[in-house]
Amino acid sequence: MSFFDDLRNLDRNNVGGWPKSIKAFFAILLVGLILFLGWYLKIRDQQDELEGLERKEQTLKGDFSKKQAQVVNLEAYEKQLEDMKEELRQLISQLPGRTEMPKLILAISQAALGAGITNDLFQPGPEVMKGFYAEKPIQLRMTGTYHQFGAFISAVASLPRVVILTMHDVSLRPGAGTATNRPGNAAPPVGGVLTLEGTVKTYRYLDDEEIAAFEAANAPAGANKPAGGK
């Protein structure tokens, strides 16, 4: 009798009388089912968790390697940072200070007059604080030639303090009495009269007291309140 014939002729009410081969088959089948259910219900989740932890381990190893390299080069980075700070301090120190600004503005105006430029308007505006420096807008309207404007820029560049003039909404156009019948957008002749009009900005550094006042005024609300304060 074959194995499959034995399966068809099994007596469900007499399990103990089944052939040994059938008992062994069902025992193996039961063990396999238990192992499968154990893997599906428990071990599979643990394997997924293990794979996630392995990926996290690789990420942490990469972060550790990067931080280790940074720690190894920390001294060099600190030296580079100090060099940059010192360079920044030197550059800032070349800008005019609070007490020098009025004289500097006067020197700029006199440089224009000395170059032969006519100052129709030269009106400094209120300063705008920018953290560690302040910008000073100047509304101006000047009349002169190309050569005179060139002499003016050269005179400003030769001032004892570094003067940065940033142009904002500045226009340069032919002045009164200059011929306007040039073809297209051709530039006016070198000796022609020009009018420069708009706003320029110059800058100065803030001293420690001004920086502290600026930071206090711009601190987030409640940042300077003591703990537990109302």
Side-chain angles (χ1 to χ4, degrees), residues 116-118 142-149 172 175 191-196:
I117 294 174
T118 301
M142 297 178 171
T143 303
T145 64
Y146 272 115
H147 290 301
Q148 289 171 334
F149 280 116
L172 183 65
V193 178
L194 302 172
T195 297
L196 178 70

Side-chain angles (χ1 to χ4, degrees), residues 148-190:
Q148 289 171 334
F149 280 116
F152 165 64
I153 297 300
S154 177
V156 170
S158 65
L159 291 175
R161 283 293 192 176
V162 172
V163 180
I164 303 173
L165 293 178
T166 307
M167 303 292 184
H168 292 266
D169 300 325
V170 173
S171 63
L172 183 65
R173 63 179 186 275
T178 301
T180 58
N181 57 352
R182 299 182 309 277
N185 295 322
V190 174

Side-chain angles (χ1 to χ4, degrees), residues 51-63:
E51 291 176 357
L53 292 174
E54 288 176 345
R55 289 192 296 268
K56 184 177 181 180
E57 179 187 14
Q58 294 301 320
T59 301
L60 292 175
K61 284 182 177 180
D63 293 342

Side-chain angles (χ1 to χ4, degrees), residues 101 105 122-128 135-139 199-200:
M101 199 61 176
I105 292 176
F122 192 91
Q123 182 177 348
E127 287 185 335
V128 180
E135 63 179 27
K136 183 81 168 178
I138 305 173
Q139 290 184 340
T199 301
V200 299

Side-chain angles (χ1 to χ4, degrees), residues 115-134:
I117 294 174
T118 301
N119 283 336
D120 299 320
L121 176 66
F122 192 91
Q123 182 177 348
E127 287 185 335
V128 180
M129 301 298 182
K130 295 290 185 178
F132 64 90
Y133 70 94

Side-chain angles (χ1 to χ4, degrees), residues 5 8 11 13 29-30 34 38 43-44 58 85 91 94 127 170-171 189 202 223-224 227:
D5 291 335
R8 285 195 296 268
D11 183 3
N13 297 321
L29 183 63
L30 180 62
I34 292 173
I43 298 178
R44 189 183 67 165
Q58 294 301 320
K85 287 182 177 179
L91 292 174
Q94 295 178 27
E127 287 185 335
V170 173
S171 63
T202 187
N224 295 326

